[in-house]
Amino acid sequence: MQISWLGLEGKSVIVTGAASGIGKAVAQEFLNCGANVAVCDLNPQTPEFEINENSGKMIYLHTNVCDAQNVKETVKRVCEEFGTVDVIVNNAGINIPSLLVDDKEEHSKYELNENIYEKVMDVNVKGVYLCSQEASRVMVKKGAGVIINMSSESGLEGSQGQSIYAASKNAVNSFTRSWSKELGPKGVRVVGVAPGILEATGLRTLAYEEALAYTRNITVEKLREGYKSTSTTPLGRSGKLSEVANLVCFLASERAGYIHGVTINVAGGKTRG
Ligand SMILES: NC(=O)c1ccc[n+]([C@@H]2O[C@H](COP(=O)([O-])OP(=O)(O)OC[C@H]3O[C@@H](n4cnc5c(N)ncnc54)[C@H](O)[C@@H]3O)[C@@H](O)[C@H]2O)c1
């Protein structure tokens, strides 16, 4: 018998990049909903979660989403521990702000180069493909499952100083659309989530803020003012990680059973497309 509105009790869920930020909040919310969660991350340190008698089980699997063999082993382990994979949240991602051309200094550290390109595309695009492929092998076999891809509003809008990141997220949006056509007929739903400006996560380091401010020719203080400006975000505040986590859990549930092939933005009105 289902005891909650979302009915996620006992579901087997993989969340990548779940040692920090959005992924950690998502994993915590699934645990709160009674789902069993495989927390997968590159970070070797096991993160702490709040667990009570109604929570699902948590296992921590040290995983590099860019390593095909590693991803294969992770999915196998999850099936051994929890019996199957019902949901995968492709959340692991990185962002390295850079300009296409820095007219202040040629080849400066803030100019896009092949190393930055490969790093960002490897985690944000190849990682999503590898994890989705392994998880959907299990889902297709049983004719059920949900893939949730963490995108970004920059993937819809483009972003000054973040072109490679925005391109990687647009590629993820395209995965969501294409896989919905391939996997929908096999009973697997695919959806995307595109957050706007959120409360700070591990991604927002000082080095990140300095780089982004440089690419926009503004100070870090000015950049920070933008986090709660109503001219940027009509709701005039940063989003809470829990607000993203709530959306992800809803999308994973049967309550969202007809939502498929789209990327839903959770951006306080910053992006309206
Ligand atoms: N924070 C935001 O405002 C925001 C907005 C839009 C989208 N996003 C997206 O949300 C996702 C999570 O970002 P966050 O802000 O929580 O960042 P975060 O840095 O707090 O968390 C990202 C996690 O991914 C892990 N990771 C990185 N590379 C990995 C790899 N190769 N294999 C496995 N794990 C890896 C990191 O160790 C980290 O724990 C990313 O995809 C990001 O692009 C974030």
Side-chain angles (χ1 to χ4, degrees):
M1 193 183 72
Q2 285 187 5
I3 56 166
S4 70
W5 193 69
L6 294 182
L8 292 169
E9 292 83 358
K11 295 284 181 193
S12 168
V13 179
I14 295 175
V15 186
T16 69
S20 166
I22 298 174
K24 188 162 186 243
V26 166
Q28 180 67 64
E29 197 52 41
F30 273 114
L31 288 167
N32 296 347
C33 291
N36 298 324
V37 182
V39 168
C40 303
D41 205 288
L42 200 54
N43 189 329
Q45 217 170 342
T46 310
E48 283 184 17
F49 289 92
E50 285 164 30
I51 305 275
N52 62 39
E53 69 279 7
N54 298 317
S55 307
K57 289 186 220 126
M58 191 279 286
I59 52 167
Y60 181 70
L61 301 174
H62 182 239
T63 309
N64 179 356
V65 296
C66 312
D67 180 328
Q69 189 54 34
N70 199 183
V71 168
K72 212 182 260 280
E73 283 156 13
T74 288
V75 171
K76 187 166 171 276
R77 262 296 300 287
V78 174
C79 290
E80 284 163 6
E81 291 282 338
F82 299 150
T84 188
V85 179
D86 295 306
V87 178
I88 183 161
V89 184
N90 288 307
N91 167 79
I94 60 169
N95 187 358
I96 307 173
S98 55
L99 288 164
L100 181 62
V101 173
D102 185 355
D103 58 4
K104 289 192 216 118
E105 186 190 338
E106 209 176 320
H107 305 306
S108 82
K109 67 172 178 174
Y110 296 124
E111 201 173 89
L112 185 58
N113 58 46
E114 285 176 88
N115 185 35
I116 294 175
Y117 175 92
E118 276 159 21
K119 270 193 187 160
V120 173
M121 295 305 266
D122 220 30
V123 181
N124 295 10
V125 183
K126 184 181 167 194
V128 173
Y129 131 61
L130 289 175
C131 292
S132 300
Q133 188 173 51
E134 283 314 308
S136 57
R137 288 189 203 287
V138 180
M139 294 174 181
V140 164
K141 226 174 249 171
K142 63 176 179 167
V146 184
I147 296 173
I148 299 176
N149 293 327
M150 194 57 68
S151 181
S152 158
E153 54 90 22
S154 69
L156 302 165
E157 292 268 303
S159 179
Q160 185 183 2
Q162 304 188 100
S163 61
I164 200 61
Y165 175 75
S168 74
K169 293 302 187 181
N170 210 338
V172 166
N173 297 345
S174 188
F175 279 159
T176 300
R177 289 190 287 264
S178 299
W179 293 340
S180 72
K181 295 184 177 185
E182 291 181 22
L183 300 177
K186 298 173 193 303
V188 178
R189 279 194 301 116
V190 189
V191 283
V193 170
I197 297 172
L198 301 180
E199 59 193 354
T201 64
L203 204 135
R204 195 191 290 167
T205 60
L206 183 59
Y208 162 85
E209 290 186 308
E210 282 172 353
L212 192 56
Y214 179 91
T215 66
R216 293 177 180 182
N217 217 6
I218 55 173
T219 61
V220 168
E221 289 65 38
K222 194 84 196 150
L223 180 79
R224 288 177 181 163
E225 281 170 24
Y227 298 155
K228 48 183 186 333
S229 152
T230 48
S231 62
T232 321
T233 305
L235 285 185
R237 66 172 176 86
S238 303
K240 298 175 189 156
L241 303 186
S242 61
E243 289 170 320
V244 180
N246 289 341
L247 174 62
V248 171
C249 287
F250 168 72
L251 290 173
S253 78
E254 276 305 307
R255 296 281 173 184
Y258 202 51
I259 302 177
H260 185 51
V262 289
T263 297
I264 296 180
N265 97 51
V266 47
K270 182 166 187 283
T271 320
R272 292 166 295 276

